[in-house]
Amino acid sequence: MGMKKERVGGDDVVVPCIQGNGVQKRATSQLVDQMTRTVLPFTIHSYSSHSGNYHPRAIGENRPTDQASRWSSGTHDQDQFVTLAFGAPVVAQRITFGKFHRAHVCNLKEFKVFGGPTPENMMELLHNGLKNDTEQESFELRTRASQMVFPIQFLKIVPLATFGANFNYSIWFVMVEGIKDRDTMANVVKQYHQYQEFQTTRLCLKHFRQRNMMHLFELLQQRTGVSLEHPLLTQLHRELVQHGDLNAVESILHQLHEEGIYQHYCAGAPYRATWRRLWATNQDGDTPSPRGGHQMCIDVAGRKIYLLGGWNGSDDLADFWVYDIDQEQWHLLATDTQSYGGPGARSCHKMIFDPKTRSIFVLGRYAECQAVQDQRHTADFYRYYTDHQQWIKISDNTSEEKGPGVIFDHQMSLDSATDTLYVFGGRKVSYDSTVHIYSGLYAYHIASNDWRLVAADSSSSPMPSDDDEVRTIKSRVGHSMLFHPGKRQLYIFAGQRVKDYLSDMITFGIDTNVVKDISPDFSREGGPDAGYTQRATIDPISNEIYVLSGYMKQQSADMVKNGLWVYSIDSDQWTKVYQNHALANLKHMEPCPRFAHQMVYDPITKSQFVFGGNPGDRECTNKRLDDFWQLSLYRPNPDDILRQSMYLVRMQHLKEMCIASSDDSLLEALDYLRSRLTPLVNHDNAQELYEFRQLCARLCLSSEPSEITSELDDIDSDLFAQRNRVFDRLLAFIPDDMKEPKEELLDAVRLT
């Protein structure tokens, strides 16, 4: 038994864990990390198919100019693969893919890599994709499981997608690096075999206990000294399943709670979304009118949300509103900001709040080509001081000051530490509406009033810059860009480029100027579908990004979806909180699907505020929305888990009380229901509430206890099996390293 610290949801959680030779595992792991990687020779063990002379043995040589030096699959389906074999067990740490000397439609846009000691026993080591360029790409492979370095002798590459639709897969060159030192691998293999013995013994212990073969269970545990689980869980099983001692069970549940065992589950539990419609008005009973393409920003300390401009379906707007979060009231600051020295009517602009100077910056707008030609619209730049309610025009034309031109649907972020605004993407308004020109990444230093180009659009030539090197980033419109002050990184994802909807994610280190690809296609990794005008916010404390979907790409047709995703920066994982398509029956319960809306995040209340947008009504294309919503995300806390655990136990106890066939037992059951079970029911949990109401109805309407038990669907004649099911449900709240293995011993039996 040991302790392990894990980083989950931004918190350090310490949990007990079951270990086998933990000291040896750490020593071997450290030794492997210190060793120099070498190239691991391999042969082709097997493959799914090949086309013509494009045999997989060609991937062992790097010939980027040779069109024939590659493996090409015979078909384009999900069953294609190439399996490599190493001469002896190795630790494969990195895989490198070479490419043709030109971009190629057959390159792997997405792939997986599996590895294991045998071709039949493999686990996933990597899920990623290549860029469609000429540069070699290297990827780190997973080398650890159960806190142990594991050996492999076979490595399987599974293509999933190419850059050209329906083209066969091609792999040009593969190199695998890792550890093959004989003495080191002898320790790794020995440790793996010990792990196999350890886990096999635990599977046997689990199997014997599930079938109430306690004499075999105790004998095996005594002979081997192997623990199936944490001692508290063994005690819980004994009191719940074997003895049925309710008081002892509840005492153990309280102990689990006091020792912080439930914190691990709570940190990773799925969110539950709760929407609240805000019916706020100003003192005259007015609210911001329907619109899309507007902008909002939040003053967290001042508890204010500002809203500016937008498009109402026929005209750009110039009104300026502020919402008091605590008072839940709107205030109209100006019907036309231009008359107060501010920006004119506009949409598809961006604005951001600077907490240091308590001011708002406004940049960009959508403009027709003719308006730019006539010089009626230039790249103006404004600042609003909230405490003085004063507008200042910073610049008539930022393009003349090494800044961006007239752009729309861009993104803007603020680094308060260096007083720098970052502006990325957006489409430049040009003289020709058929030409798509995208803006790069610019930095604006507030104190010195200086602009500089940080990174140009990857498809355009860099503009003149004082920097020795200007990097490139694939620009887009309708994307998201968020700044993480702790990590000093910009997170850029999704959007649209010409007719392509994007679902990639990259980061840009503002101190290092390093661009890093996080995902080539997060829609294949549990994230939202490719799309644009989704809205996103970030919580740098919990290291999470929240995305409310917008206009999304579908195979049959584009559509507007109402969906919410959470991206964990720590675990690099997407979680879908919910997704709805048609909400006719939920009009005032949650917002309808939309795009071109706005969302801001309040870190104090941990809630999002969403206003307006375009519902994508095909029958009324000018329709815009004026509804205002507050979204809160909830995770259970340890107290919630304790309550739920006690509810499960007491529900089982009540069912067992109903088995006794006497009038007194029925009265006792009713009293137990009223005094012990009812206070624990969570009326917001639909499944729990339904189960409770069903039991109440049967208790109250049945004249004989026997009628109750015969009607209970989940009452089994085997009391041991009933209690085991409750025990399994309680284990759902326990960290994996503390409890019995998830696998079953019977699964090891295969038909031959």
Side-chain angles (χ1 to χ4, degrees), residues 93-127:
Q93 297 173 305
R94 181 165 56 199
I95 186 170
T96 299
F97 290 90
K99 301 175 187 176
F100 192 47
H101 68 100
R102 294 193 302 268
H104 202 283
V105 292
C106 294
N107 284 340
L108 302 187
K109 185 178 182 181
E110 183 184 8
F111 64 88
K112 287 186 177 182
V113 177
F114 299 84
T118 67
E120 297 78 23
N121 181 16
M122 290 190 176
M123 64 183 299
E124 184 177 315
L125 308 182
L126 176 68
H127 182 184

Side-chain angles (χ1 to χ4, degrees), residues 236 247-263 265-266 636-650 676 679-682 688 730 733-734:
L236 178 64
N247 292 330
V249 169
E250 293 195 2
S251 176
I252 297 170
L253 295 178
H254 277 284
Q255 191 172 348
L256 289 169
H257 175 266
E258 291 168 1
E259 293 189 10
I261 304 303
Y262 296 141
Q263 291 180 2
Y265 174 84
C266 294
N637 58 45
D639 291 339
D640 296 328
I641 302 305
L642 176 62
R643 180 212 61 80
Q644 190 172 348
S645 299
M646 293 179 65
Y647 166 81
L648 293 172
V649 172
R650 291 184 183 181
R676 301 287 288 169
L680 293 178
V681 178
N682 179 9
E688 194 172 296
L730 295 176
F733 307 128
I734 307 298

Side-chain angles (χ1 to χ4, degrees), residues 201-487:
T201 302
R202 295 182 69 213
L203 287 174
C204 291
L205 288 171
K206 176 182 177 181
H207 181 80
F208 293 150
R209 191 173 69 176
Q210 283 178 334
R211 281 145 186 81
N212 203 19
M213 301 176 183
M214 297 308 298
H215 60 294
L216 293 177
F217 175 88
E218 294 169 358
L219 179 62
L220 180 60
Q221 195 167 47
Q222 182 180 1
R223 290 284 183 88
T224 62
V226 173
S227 298
L228 174 61
E229 62 214 346
H230 190 280
L232 272 179
L233 300 183
T234 302
Q235 186 180 352
L236 178 64
H237 184 276
R238 181 170 59 250
E239 300 300 343
L240 172 62
V241 180
Q242 296 173 251
H243 300 160
D245 188 337
L246 176 65
N247 292 330
V249 169
E250 293 195 2
S251 176
I252 297 170
L253 295 178
H254 277 284
Q255 191 172 348
L256 289 169
H257 175 266
E258 291 168 1
E259 293 189 10
I261 304 303
Y262 296 141
Q263 291 180 2
H264 182 272
Y265 174 84
C266 294
Y271 278 116
R272 180 171 60 88
T274 300
W275 288 98
R276 182 169 76 97
R277 178 78 181 265
L278 300 173
W279 300 94
T281 67
N282 66 2
Q283 292 180 344
D284 297 327
D286 297 326
T287 64
S289 59
R291 66 192 69 199
H294 51 290
Q295 271 296 293
M296 295 199 311
C297 64
I298 184 170
D299 172 7
V300 176
R303 315 304 296 144
K304 300 291 192 298
I305 296 174
Y306 293 88
L307 184 152
L308 174 66
W311 172 261
N312 65 8
S314 58
D315 298 297
D316 278 330
L317 303 173
D319 55 345
F320 190 31
W321 295 77
V322 61
Y323 175 75
D324 189 308
I325 297 174
D326 296 332
Q327 299 295 324
E328 297 193 356
Q329 188 175 39
W330 283 106
H331 299 278
L332 178 61
L333 298 175
T335 55
D336 182 3
T337 51
Q338 192 169 22
S339 62
Y340 292 89
R346 63 189 58 206
S347 60
C348 303
H349 50 294
K350 285 295 174 287
M351 71 178 189
I352 196 165
F353 181 80
D354 177 13
K356 277 189 177 180
T357 60
R358 299 193 50 74
S359 59
I360 296 172
F361 293 89
V362 179
L363 177 71
R365 65 181 307 154
Y366 177 79
E368 299 291 343
C369 299
Q370 189 62 44
V372 177
Q373 288 180 347
D374 298 341
Q375 295 186 344
R376 284 182 285 128
H377 293 323
T378 58
D380 50 12
F381 187 28
Y382 289 88
R383 187 176 191 176
Y384 177 77
Y385 289 91
T386 59
D387 292 340
H388 305 288
Q389 297 188 5
Q390 180 184 10
W391 283 101
I392 293 179
K393 192 174 190 179
I394 303 174
S395 172
D396 288 317
N397 193 343
T398 55
S399 64
E400 296 178 352
E401 301 168 359
K402 299 183 180 180
V406 181
I407 55 175
F408 63 92
D409 284 341
H410 48 293
Q411 285 296 327
M412 186 157 59
S413 295
L414 171 67
D415 175 18
S416 295
T418 61
D419 297 324
T420 304
L421 288 176
Y422 289 90
V423 180
F424 173 68
R427 184 177 171 186
K428 294 182 181 179
V429 180
S430 64
Y431 299 143
D432 185 351
S433 62
T434 63
V435 177
H436 292 258
I437 304 175
Y438 297 95
S439 184
L441 175 63
Y442 289 87
Y444 171 75
H445 188 250
I446 297 173
S448 62
N449 191 31
D450 288 331
W451 285 96
R452 64 184 175 90
L453 177 65
V454 179
D457 177 28
S458 57
S459 65
S460 62
S461 300
M463 296 175 60
S465 172
D466 296 334
D467 296 337
D468 294 334
E469 180 182 0
V470 176
R471 285 169 166 72
T472 61
I473 301 177
K474 184 178 182 179
S475 192
R476 72 276 310 271
V477 298
H479 52 291
S480 295
M481 181 174 75
L482 303 165
F483 177 61
H484 192 301
K487 297 182 179 295

Side-chain angles (χ1 to χ4, degrees), residues 162-175:
T162 57
F163 284 92
N166 300 320
F167 279 84
N168 291 350
Y169 308 106
S170 285
I171 299 178
W172 302 85
F173 170 67
V174 170
M175 179 176 66

Side-chain angles (χ1 to χ4, degrees), residues 371-664:
V372 177
Q373 288 180 347
D374 298 341
Q375 295 186 344
R376 284 182 285 128
H377 293 323
T378 58
D380 50 12
F381 187 28
Y382 289 88
R383 187 176 191 176
Y384 177 77
Y385 289 91
T386 59
D387 292 340
H388 305 288
Q389 297 188 5
Q390 180 184 10
W391 283 101
I392 293 179
K393 192 174 190 179
I394 303 174
S395 172
D396 288 317
N397 193 343
T398 55
S399 64
E400 296 178 352
E401 301 168 359
K402 299 183 180 180
V406 181
I407 55 175
F408 63 92
D409 284 341
H410 48 293
Q411 285 296 327
M412 186 157 59
S413 295
L414 171 67
D415 175 18
S416 295
T418 61
D419 297 324
T420 304
L421 288 176
Y422 289 90
V423 180
F424 173 68
R427 184 177 171 186
K428 294 182 181 179
V429 180
S430 64
Y431 299 143
D432 185 351
S433 62
T434 63
V435 177
H436 292 258
I437 304 175
Y438 297 95
S439 184
L441 175 63
Y442 289 87
Y444 171 75
H445 188 250
I446 297 173
S448 62
N449 191 31
D450 288 331
W451 285 96
R452 64 184 175 90
L453 177 65
V454 179
D457 177 28
S458 57
S459 65
S460 62
S461 300
M463 296 175 60
S465 172
D466 296 334
D467 296 337
D468 294 334
E469 180 182 0
V470 176
R471 285 169 166 72
T472 61
I473 301 177
K474 184 178 182 179
S475 192
R476 72 276 310 271
V477 298
H479 52 291
S480 295
M481 181 174 75
L482 303 165
F483 177 61
H484 192 301
K487 297 182 179 295
R488 311 289 297 156
Q489 289 182 331
L490 293 169
Y491 287 80
I492 301 170
F493 57 94
Q496 183 186 31
R497 187 179 177 93
V498 192
K499 295 183 179 180
D500 294 333
Y501 290 6
L502 307 177
S503 58
D504 61 334
M505 176 182 281
I506 64 172
T507 60
F508 180 82
I510 63 172
D511 297 329
T512 62
N513 284 350
V514 173
V515 179
K516 181 179 179 182
D517 292 313
I518 302 298
S519 172
D521 186 357
F522 52 68
S523 67
R524 297 178 180 270
E525 301 168 3
D529 293 331
Y532 70 103
T533 74
Q534 73 290 324
R535 299 306 179 219
T537 59
I538 188 170
D539 188 329
I541 303 300
S542 61
N543 288 330
E544 290 180 330
I545 292 174
Y546 312 99
V547 180
L548 187 65
S549 61
Y551 211 72
M552 311 191 83
K553 183 74 172 180
Q554 297 289 292
Q555 290 184 350
S556 55
D558 298 346
M559 67 181 300
V560 182
K561 287 185 179 180
N562 193 38
L564 180 69
W565 281 262
V566 177
Y567 172 71
S568 171
I569 296 174
D570 290 333
S571 64
D572 187 27
Q573 289 185 340
W574 288 91
T575 302
K576 182 166 66 176
V577 178
Y578 80 94
Q579 186 172 33
N580 293 319
H581 301 273
L583 298 172
N585 298 326
L586 299 173
K587 185 175 181 180
H588 298 307
M589 297 179 64
E590 62 182 77
C592 67
R594 63 193 63 203
F595 66 99
H597 48 291
Q598 278 302 316
M599 180 171 76
V600 294
Y601 178 63
D602 177 16
I604 294 179
T605 61
K606 302 288 185 180
S607 57
Q608 320 276 348
F609 291 87
V610 180
F611 182 88
N614 186 337
D617 192 327
R618 299 182 186 276
E619 297 180 358
C620 182
T621 56
N622 289 336
K623 183 178 180 180
R624 298 297 184 271
L625 302 170
D626 62 352
D627 50 347
F628 192 29
W629 297 85
Q630 183 177 5
L631 167 65
S632 300
L633 298 179
Y634 296 99
R635 275 191 173 121
N637 58 45
D639 291 339
D640 296 328
I641 302 305
L642 176 62
R643 180 212 61 80
Q644 190 172 348
S645 299
M646 293 179 65
Y647 166 81
L648 293 172
V649 172
R650 291 184 183 181
M651 179 67 83
Q652 174 62 28
H653 184 67
L654 180 60
K655 292 175 182 178
E656 293 182 20
M657 292 178 69
C658 294
I659 297 176
S661 55
S662 69
D663 293 337
D664 290 341

